[in-house]
């Protein structure tokens, strides 16, 4: 692995909403790194993996052009660039490998308070301001609607008050920005979250091997975040009822308890969050000594 070209390059956002969680994910996959003097690249110390820190808008292009083998960006940016690239060349520019559990938001229409516009159907012949012109045009085409898309690179929400548009289509998370700008949220056209992209180009086997290992570790990290290890004592007679209450679990391990014929210990990995309500239901079904533990690592 001394050959530079055999090192895997992963592009992530340099500074923004996805940066911290993307770096955290790579660290949880076992990557230790040192940042270069320009802070644009982080060199993997213990794996042949280097991290390029760039603007999120550049990530899909870097993966399409095979400058990077993998990239992490919001589905909103990825889909916008995908549609744009497809207009230039009718071949899928990259593969979307997996959705991650952060960066959640939605791309939605919003209409000025007090405007007669209520739904997408009212947008025919109107002007829509957005930073996602390809996604919006594609959506309008599929709805058989003809409207003018006005491209804004930022501050989309002020376009209606500036008289530049009749409605907007922008990312929404809590909705507070819309309210502050006297806009009413309408239809969502894309549910977004951070995703992993992979180059469409065939890579040499030794590189493919490390890419697969990294993606398998990502899989493990995601599963662990959602998983809990539950332990409890259960009356033998209530075992079937208790097993049915366990969320997203495989067959539980049932162990004898010394000196007790009526009770058993039940251990199980639940691949979903375990809420207080579930514990209360288990208790009501006869379970006692309930313990919920986080899972550290998992390899299926
Ligand atoms: O410099 P660079 O180009 O890399 O960063 P950027 O400014 O383009 O992106 P950044 O860091 O703001 O966001 C990165 C990614 O985070 C986005 O592409 C989305 O995938 C995701 N994300 C999640 C969001 C939001 N939530 C979000 N709320 N991106 C932007 N917003 C903005 C939105 O545009 C609006 O202005 O937040 C405002 C709305 O928020 P609420 O909570 O008021 O609804
Ligand atoms: Zn950006």
């Amino acid at each position: 692995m001394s050959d530079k070209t055999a090192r895997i390059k992963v592009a992530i956002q340099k500074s923004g909403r996805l940066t911290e969680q993307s770096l955290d994910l790579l660290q949880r996959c076992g990557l230790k790194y040192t940042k270069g003097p320009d802070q644009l690249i982080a060199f993997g110390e213990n794996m042949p993996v280097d991290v390029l820190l760039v603007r999120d808008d550049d990530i899909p292009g870097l993966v399409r052009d095979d400058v990077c083998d993998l990239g992490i960006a919001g589905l909103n940016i990825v889909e916008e660039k995908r549609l744009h690239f497809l207009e230039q060349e009718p071949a899928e520019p990259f593969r979307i490998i997996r959705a991650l559990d952060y960066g959640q938001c939605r791309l939605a229409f919003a209409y000025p308070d007090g405007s007669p516009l209520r739904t997408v159907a009212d947008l025919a012949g109107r002007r829509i301001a957005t930073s996602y012109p390809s996604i919006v045009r594609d959506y309008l085409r599929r709805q058989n609607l003809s409207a003018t898309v006005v491209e804004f690179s930022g501050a989309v929400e002020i376009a209606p008050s500036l008289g530049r548009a009749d409605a907007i289509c922008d990312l929404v998370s809590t909705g507070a920005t819309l309210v502050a700008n006297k806009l009413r949220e309408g239809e969502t056209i894309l549910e977004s979250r951070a995703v992993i992209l992979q180059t469409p180009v065939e890579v040499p086997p030794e590189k493919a091997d490390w890419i697969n290992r990294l993606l398998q570790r990502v899989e493990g990290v995601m599963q662990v975040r959602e998983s809990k290890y539950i332990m409890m004592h259960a009356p033998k007679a209530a075992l079937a009822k208790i097993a049915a209450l366990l969320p997203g679990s495989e067959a539980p391990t049932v162990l004898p308890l010394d000196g007790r014929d009526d009770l058993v210990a039940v251990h199980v990995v639940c691949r979903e969050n375990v809420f207080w309500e579930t514990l209360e239901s288990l208790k009501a079904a006869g379970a006692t000594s309930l313990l919920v533990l986080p899972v550290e690592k998992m390899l299926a």
Side-chain angles (χ1 to χ4, degrees):
M1 272 289 167
S2 56
D3 180 6
K4 273 267 180 244
T5 59
R7 293 185 69 83
I8 294 153
K9 292 192 191 65
V10 185
I12 67 165
Q13 193 185 23
K14 181 175 165 48
S15 139
R17 291 171 200 258
L18 305 180
T19 306
E20 204 182 305
Q21 280 153 300
S22 301
L23 281 172
D24 178 70
L25 174 62
L26 293 171
Q27 280 168 335
R28 284 178 195 275
C29 289
L31 183 69
K32 292 193 170 59
Y33 57 82
T34 35
K35 280 199 181 163
D38 53 7
Q39 307 277 306
L40 292 177
I41 189 155
F43 299 100
E45 293 168 7
N46 59 339
M47 290 159 69
V49 175
D50 296 327
V51 184
L52 259 72
L53 298 147
V54 294
R55 287 204 56 188
D56 64 350
D57 314 68
D58 295 334
I59 294 170
L62 288 168
V63 177
R64 175 193 65 164
D65 297 340
D66 197 33
V67 176
C68 290
D69 306 280
L70 300 171
I72 301 179
L75 184 62
N76 48 303
I77 294 280
V78 169
E79 186 58 9
E80 176 65 22
K81 298 287 178 185
R82 190 182 76 86
L83 293 170
H84 179 70
F85 293 149
L86 281 175
E87 282 166 21
Q88 299 170 344
E89 199 186 321
E92 283 299 330
F94 35 67
R95 286 180 284 159
I96 300 176
I97 298 295
R98 178 187 219 298
L100 300 169
D101 60 358
Y102 57 92
Q104 286 90 343
C105 56
R106 52 196 183 275
L107 184 63
F109 285 106
Y111 311 102
D113 283 346
S115 119
L117 304 176
R118 301 253 155 243
T119 71
V120 167
D122 301 328
L123 289 174
R126 302 292 191 140
R127 291 164 307 160
I128 306 158
T130 186
S131 308
Y132 298 90
S134 299
I135 298 180
V136 174
R137 278 196 203 102
D138 181 63
Y139 178 82
L140 294 173
R141 217 169 9 245
R142 283 187 284 113
Q143 299 290 315
N144 264 324
L145 271 172
S146 160
T148 305
V149 174
V150 188
E151 188 171 351
F152 267 63
S153 54
V156 175
E157 58 278 354
I158 62 168
S161 57
L162 294 177
R164 297 283 311 278
D166 302 299
I168 69 165
C169 190
D170 197 13
L171 295 181
V172 185
S173 160
T174 61
T177 304
L178 294 184
V179 171
N181 286 281
K182 301 191 166 48
L183 293 159
R184 198 167 12 87
E185 186 172 347
E187 298 84 349
T188 291
I189 62 172
L190 181 80
E191 293 282 358
S192 184
R193 51 174 59 209
V195 297
I196 302 187
L197 305 181
Q198 187 172 5
T199 174
V201 175
E202 185 100 13
V203 293
E206 69 276 15
K207 223 175 166 180
D209 189 43
W210 263 105
I211 290 176
N212 289 338
R213 277 175 80 174
L214 192 60
L215 292 175
Q216 204 174 41
R217 289 183 189 188
V218 168
E219 213 60 47
V221 171
M222 289 296 127
Q223 277 180 15
V224 159
R225 284 197 202 169
E226 288 165 4
S227 300
K228 293 282 176 279
Y229 194 78
I230 307 185
M231 302 195 286
M232 73 195 91
H233 290 172
K236 271 186 186 164
L239 215 46
K241 193 172 172 194
I242 283 173
L245 289 169
L246 295 165
S249 66
E250 286 162 11
T253 306
V254 179
L255 305 161
L257 280 173
D258 204 22
R260 295 292 299 258
D261 283 340
D262 55 334
L263 276 186
V264 285
V266 177
H267 292 195
V268 69
V269 173
C270 287
R271 287 170 192 257
E272 278 173 39
N273 249 323
V274 179
F275 297 104
W276 281 110
E277 287 75 5
T278 307
L279 297 186
E280 285 158 3
S281 307
L282 288 167
K283 193 164 186 288
T288 50
S289 306
L290 280 149
L291 269 184
V292 181
L293 308 172
V295 176
E296 167 81 20
K297 285 194 177 66
M298 197 184 253
L299 200 61

